[in-house]
Amino acid sequence: IGSDGTIHSLFDKNAGREALEDRGNQLWAYVDKPYSWDAWDLDETYAREGEEVVDIQSIGIIEAGPVRASVRVERRWRGSTISQIYRLWLDSKRLDIETDIDWHERQVLLKAHMPLAVRSHQAAFETMYGAVYRPTHRNSPWDAARFEGCGHRWGDISEAGYGVAILNDAKYGYEALGSDLMLSLLRSPLYPDPLADDGEHHFTYSVFPHTGDWSEGNVAAEAFALNSPL
């Protein structure tokens, strides 16, 4: 974990390779003013106006036991605060990111970016009884129109023999562009509720490197475990 609060390295010891291509868990805030259907739609031009959340208030180790290690990162952006705990368990390849946000923005979209060291022309997202696949490129207007996809408990990019998934327990909007797998965390539309998403939020998402593709790499079981803890 770097001094900027992002994941500077996620090394998979079993596979002997780095899981990230760039800094992981970059939090970006984007202007979110769709032309219509304020609380339902994201415009494909949203990424033109955005900035990374980089105002770090504090960072430090809060747990260093034999079973679990944890690092807390506190961020501030405008009138909101973002507290995240990176948790790594003994004998687990799943890095949990437990998140508490006190959110007071309007017409802003908050996304987490995970640039992965994986190459594939498509990404997989959990749906009922399986997965739906979406392109990681924008080669046609049809591909570009599907920039934001839905997923239940996980999204995954896998190449031959290796992949990385983002698991979640409460957030279902994913995007994949190249090797960057993104998860939409919060929105704050004005219509029909001018105070939508205002206040406190608690959720967890996880980075899970694995061998094989999502079906071979135990992704569904790990996502189930995240959503149904002991």
Side-chain angles (χ1 to χ4, degrees), residues 11-18 93 161-162 210-211:
F11 190 78
D12 187 336
K13 292 182 178 180
N14 289 344
R17 59 181 287 174
E18 179 67 41
K93 295 179 67 174
Y162 193 77
H210 57 85
T211 55

Side-chain angles (χ1 to χ4, degrees), residues 9-229:
S9 177
L10 185 64
F11 190 78
D12 187 336
K13 292 182 178 180
N14 289 344
R17 59 181 287 174
E18 179 67 41
L20 297 176
E21 183 179 60
D22 197 356
R23 298 176 298 118
N25 198 41
Q26 299 177 35
L27 300 185
W28 281 73
Y30 296 96
V31 175
D32 183 22
K33 297 180 178 180
Y35 292 110
S36 59
W37 306 107
D38 195 19
W40 290 266
D41 282 1
L42 284 179
D43 283 351
E44 61 183 9
T45 58
Y46 82 88
R48 294 177 182 175
E49 296 182 74
E51 63 179 86
E52 187 176 358
V53 179
V54 295
D55 187 2
I56 302 297
Q57 301 296 299
S58 65
I59 181 171
I61 297 172
I62 59 172
E63 292 178 312
V67 175
R68 188 172 71 182
S70 302
V71 174
R72 177 185 283 125
V73 177
E74 305 274 354
R75 294 180 176 92
R76 179 178 293 277
W77 191 74
R78 295 183 181 177
S80 302
T81 57
I82 303 170
S83 175
Q84 293 192 306
I85 298 175
Y86 295 102
R87 283 209 164 104
L88 189 63
W89 295 78
L90 179 68
D91 294 330
S92 174
K93 295 179 67 174
R94 195 181 84 205
L95 177 64
D96 294 337
I97 306 173
E98 185 176 325
T99 304
D100 286 283
I101 299 180
D102 190 14
W103 188 248
H104 301 290
E105 312 306 324
R106 305 267 50 86
Q107 293 187 303
V108 173
L109 166 66
L110 184 66
K111 272 183 174 281
H113 289 251
M114 296 286 182
L116 307 177
V118 179
R119 296 288 182 272
S120 177
H121 68 282
Q122 63 182 5
F125 306 103
E126 186 190 34
T127 187
M128 187 173 289
Y129 307 121
V132 61
Y133 292 87
R134 292 286 181 263
T136 59
H137 52 76
R138 305 290 188 265
N139 289 352
S140 69
W142 175 254
D143 297 328
R146 297 186 292 172
F147 64 95
E148 180 89 357
C150 58
H152 287 173
R153 294 171 297 188
W154 55 264
D156 180 89
I157 298 180
S158 293
E159 61 189 26
Y162 193 77
V164 182
I166 296 181
L167 321 177
N168 81 87
D169 70 352
K171 303 296 171 181
Y172 312 111
Y174 285 91
E175 181 176 356
L177 181 59
S179 61
D180 190 5
L181 186 57
M182 295 162 262
L183 182 66
S184 295
L185 304 181
L186 286 173
R187 295 185 66 212
S188 40
L190 296 178
Y191 177 82
D193 180 3
L195 294 178
D197 278 3
D198 188 72
E200 297 181 358
H201 300 261
H202 177 78
F203 53 89
T204 299
Y205 55 99
S206 307
V207 190
F208 180 59
H210 57 85
T211 55
D213 63 11
W214 69 266
S215 61
E216 300 165 334
N218 212 35
V219 171
E222 284 290 342
F224 181 85
L226 175 66
N227 280 266
S228 302

